[in-house]
Structures are given as structure tokens and as C-alpha cells.
Amino acid sequence: MKANQLIQKYASHQLITKKIDMPAGYLDDSHSHPWHQIVFPLTGLLQSNMGHKRAIVPHNALLFIPANTVHKSVAVTDTQFFAIYLNPNALIHYGDTPKSCLVTAFLKELLLLLFDKRTAHQSEASIAHLLAVLNDQIETAEHYEIPLLIPEDRRLMAIFNQLRQQPDLKFTLKDWAEKVGASERTLSRLCAKEFNLSFSLWRQNIRLVLSLQLLDTGMAIQEIAVELGYASDSAYIHAFKGMFDQTPSRYRHSRLLYSLSADQKLTQSETNV
């Protein structure tokens, strides 16, 4: 059942949850919900547009979307995420500004608890207390901004789609220009317009953001560097540190590893109402 149908059906509830799978490239086109929404990826990457605000959301972050905000999302890679819909008519006063933020260990446990179907059977007062803590955590959480990847221009999109599949491609700007039928100058201008970046920096950002998924696997840093097309693991580490202000190893251990206890809490049901 679609989210707005669930909201209409369970209009008296304080929250509704839903697990959603989106294959790479899937577009959930412009829409809105009468309730607030939290998007919390378990795996993969989403790029979401909310008016003039756009955000990349990996699975160590969440996105808060206020009620009635028109938004659309594209799956950068195969993505599974929890969606939590929050009743604006409940006692909790949620914010009215979209926000992408880091998910701390505590916040992650809280989100998983809210998604646990057993929580739905608790008293209204108990659920309200949990939601008050959730709201406080989101309000005080650190903002998390990752450079955007997915372009609007069809020529850049063709390049993005190929780099998503083969991030180690060694094509030069001239090679790409010939491949997509545009001049080098045009591609450079388009990157500057859409991302305020040079073509080479945009391509590097694609590689680095895609590496977030690889860091959640057992691959060694050196293997990840090769997979992405870097000449050495030191070159990858240097570039990663420049974007995320920490090494890939530190990022892996501090942000991306899910504890066994958290994994055990994942519900197998699609919705919790």
C-alpha cells in the first residue's frame, strides 16, 4: 500500500513506518505527503530534491522532509530504506525545514526501535516519549552535506550512468565529449552550472561517494582503490580525506559498521502500523 493511502487509513496514529526497495536509477518522481517523513537508508545511496535543496543520503545518515514538501528521490545505487511518517497533528512539534544529518549509534537504535512492530503495541504516551526524543535528536544532530552526483543534463547523465557501473574508466574529458556528442567546453560548462565543479572533480566525487558502499564490505582499502580506478591506495585515501575530513578506515569504523544487536532488530515486515 502506498504511503499516502496508509496515512489516510491510519490517520489517528502518531507514526507509520514502511520499508522500501529501490533499484539503481529508479526515480520516485515529485510528490508530497500530508505527514512529515524521515528517510533512513539501510543500504545504498539516495539523491533527493526538495525545491531548491538537494541532498545525497547514504546509510549513515537520514533525511527529514517536512509535511507537504514536494520532493523526489533517485536511487544512486540499489537502495533499501526505512521511511517513517510522523503525524503533524500529534503532540510533538516537528521542524518545518528539510534536514540531512548524521545518524549516531543512539539515533540508529531509536529509529530501529520505532520500526519494530512491537513498538506499535505500546501505549500512546510511551510512543509520544520516543518521538519526542527522536525530534530532539534530529534537531541537535550534525548537518551532513555530501556533494551531489546525479545531473539533469542528458549528456552528463550518460556519463554518470557509465561511471556508476565502471568507476575505474580512464576516459579523458575529450574521450567523454566524443562519446556523448558534446564538446569538451560544453561538458565543462555543464558541470560548472549544475555542480559548481570542474568535470574532473565531479568525476572524483562520483568515485568517492560510491566508495561509501564498498567500505561497508570486507574489501581492503587497496582493493577499493583499484575498483575505483585510483593509481594507489594512498591516492584514494588522500582524495577521501579531502572530501570527508577523515581516512576511509576511520570512516568505516566510526560510521558504517552496523552492530549485531542492531541487525537483529530489523523487522521483516513491510510496514508497522
Side-chain angles (χ1 to χ4, degrees), residues 20-22 40-46 57-60 75-82 213 216 258 263 266:
I20 300 172
D21 292 281
M22 289 173 57
F40 172 42
L42 297 169
T43 59
L45 297 160
L46 287 175
V57 191
H59 66 286
N60 64 325
V76 180
T77 61
D78 291 341
T79 302
Q80 181 184 83
F81 66 93
F82 284 167
Q213 281 205 129
D216 199 35
Y258 278 78
D263 286 336
L266 298 182

Side-chain angles (χ1 to χ4, degrees), residues 137-157:
Q137 288 292 306
I138 293 174
E139 285 187 350
T140 59
E142 179 182 350
H143 282 270
Y144 196 34
E145 302 294 338
I146 290 181
L148 299 171
L149 302 182
I150 301 177
E152 299 287 340
D153 182 82
R154 59 176 179 79
R155 291 157 293 187
L156 289 182
M157 191 65 186

